[in-house]
Amino acid sequence: MAKSKNRASTEVNAGSMADIAFLLLIFFLVTTTIANDKGIAMRLPPKPDPNQPPPEVSKNDRNIFKILANSQDRLLVEDEPWEDDPSLLKEEIKKFILNFGDPGPEGQDIYNSLPPQLKSYISINGRRPDSSQDPTEAVVSFKAQRGTSYKLYIETLDAINSAYNEVYGERVGITGEEFLALDKKDPVQKDLYTKARNGIPRAISIAEPDKGVQ
Amino acid sequence: MSKFRKKTDTSQDIPTAALPDIIFMLLFFFMVTTVLRETDIMVKQLLPKATQLTKIEKKSLVSYIYIGQPKNTASFGSEPRIQTNDVFIELKDVIQFVNTEKDKLDEVVKDKITMSMKVDEDTEMGIVSDVQQELRQANALKVLYSSRKVLLDN
């Protein structure tokens, strides 16, 4: 009799293990988020109105930072061939945006609102007569030919964007990376974002490539 | 009668100890075989690297356009092609594609549609800018150039 009692108690009820496994399965199913894809966000210009003539380009030449990419994947920056890595364009563009060569009233306001580090950056690198007047006027123009590789296009666009993000970030005392990571749903971070963006437009002009020649 | 009696005396429990193992096996099977993508991509997709990446804020507003050389060059040729959903489309059909995608969205958010361009890095700019011109015509102005993150220590 004692023997049979022992035998009954040795078996562990493992039936609920399946439920535990199911619970785990469902938990992971729910919590797994599929890797979000990331990329460089851009806004295309609106479609041209056929009734309106194309707008005249009235910008002063000094306010346009010209980048050209040809079908051999060579860059022409401000009419000089660019032999370095495209990512090094960032510094040049940053200097161009923050040149303050001849600021207008709005540009002066922006200059006054800048933190001391950026002001000293400007007094070292800026104020050149051949570069932009102030950030409100500055435009970075990028033109790629049909034969340019997409890789170079993205690298250059990335350099331009990183220059702008760094300017925005440093304006509120954070790095470009941190600026990019700001969450616009959080009111505090949104404030910081609008403060950084205020007055300095992200003026990137992507010119249409030449038609015909392919 | 006595024969039947004997049978009912045996234990009626089914051994369930192996059940969790079966469930785990199922779990692993699905984990391995699941592909987290609803479309079959028929073009080469080596995305370019970039540093200044932004996340997509609303996934429901995003439509994907894949551009690159077809993987099956024997039947589709080696010229870069445009793929949306599961089919190759011609350049002139891009507007129609955008409009069908827009129709799936609410009236309020129609103009906020984001086109995620997944372009192979070896593609030439010609086809990319052609697609962009079509997107402008279709009034889908938000574009995301999908790219990979550069590791900082290189």
Side-chain angles (χ1 to χ4, degrees), chain A residues 17-32, chain B residues 20 22-32 34:
Chain A
M17 277 285 269
D19 301 50
I20 296 167
F22 262 126
L23 217 74
L24 272 174
L25 171 61
I26 290 163
F27 172 73
F28 281 111
L29 271 177
V30 171
T31 52
T32 309
Chain B
I22 296 166
I23 301 299
F24 269 120
M25 226 159 75
L26 269 176
L27 171 61
F28 288 139
F29 173 73
F30 282 110
M31 273 174 68
V32 171
T34 309

Side-chain angles (χ1 to χ4, degrees), chain A residues 42-141:
Chain A
M42 241 222 355
R43 210 181 159 79
L44 299 174
K47 66 177 163 191
D49 190 344
N51 302 323
Q52 299 261 319
E56 294 271 316
V57 179
S58 55
K59 280 229 175 279
N60 201 326
D61 193 49
R62 65 185 283 193
N63 286 322
I64 304 175
F65 189 87
K66 289 191 282 293
I67 305 171
L68 282 162
N70 74 359
S71 46
Q72 272 87 48
D73 276 4
R74 306 276 292 272
L75 287 172
L76 193 72
V77 177
E78 289 283 61
D79 302 324
E80 303 271 341
W82 183 266
E83 304 293 350
D84 291 329
D85 196 76
S87 62
L88 300 174
L89 272 171
K90 185 178 89 176
E91 269 310 305
E92 292 299 312
I93 297 166
K94 202 176 150 192
K95 280 180 204 162
F96 166 77
I97 304 166
L98 294 174
N99 186 55
F100 290 97
D102 177 20
E106 277 176 63
Q108 196 57 49
D109 283 348
I110 289 172
Y111 180 78
N112 293 335
S113 74
L114 291 179
Q117 288 140 298
L118 275 185
K119 278 185 183 159
S120 64
Y121 178 87
I122 292 160
S123 55
I124 296 165
N125 297 298
R127 306 287 190 197
R128 278 171 304 152
D130 57 342
S131 194
S132 78
Q133 284 174 299
D134 63 51
T136 57
E137 288 288 318
V139 172
V140 180
S141 157

Side-chain angles (χ1 to χ4, degrees), chain A residues 6 9 25 40 68 94 108 126 130 139 161 165 172 183-184 186 196 211:
Chain A
N6 262 347
S9 63
L25 171 61
I40 301 174
L68 282 162
K94 202 176 150 192
Q108 196 57 49
D130 57 342
V139 172
N161 271 307
N165 287 335
V172 286
D183 182 9
K184 275 167 242 164
D186 179 13
K211 288 264 163 71

Side-chain angles (χ1 to χ4, degrees), chain B residues 2-21:
Chain B
S2 63
K3 264 185 186 170
F4 289 113
R5 274 269 155 83
K6 236 182 194 172
K7 259 191 182 165
T8 49
D9 272 351
T10 54
S11 158
Q12 286 184 329
D13 283 332
I14 305 166
T16 52
L19 208 65
D21 300 54

Side-chain angles (χ1 to χ4, degrees), chain A residues 25 40 42 44 146 148 150, chain B residues 27 123 125 130 141 143 145:
Chain A
L25 171 61
I40 301 174
M42 241 222 355
L44 299 174
R146 292 191 70 88
T148 311
Y150 183 67
Chain B
L27 171 61
T123 317
M125 270 311 288
D130 285 345
L141 301 179
V143 170
Y145 298 111

Side-chain angles (χ1 to χ4, degrees), chain B residues 125-144:
Chain B
M125 270 311 288
I127 188 164
V128 180
S129 62
D130 285 345
V131 170
Q132 279 178 11
Q133 294 305 318
E134 295 295 305
L135 291 181
R136 281 176 66 186
Q137 291 297 326
N139 209 22
L141 301 179
K142 285 176 89 177
V143 170
L144 188 91

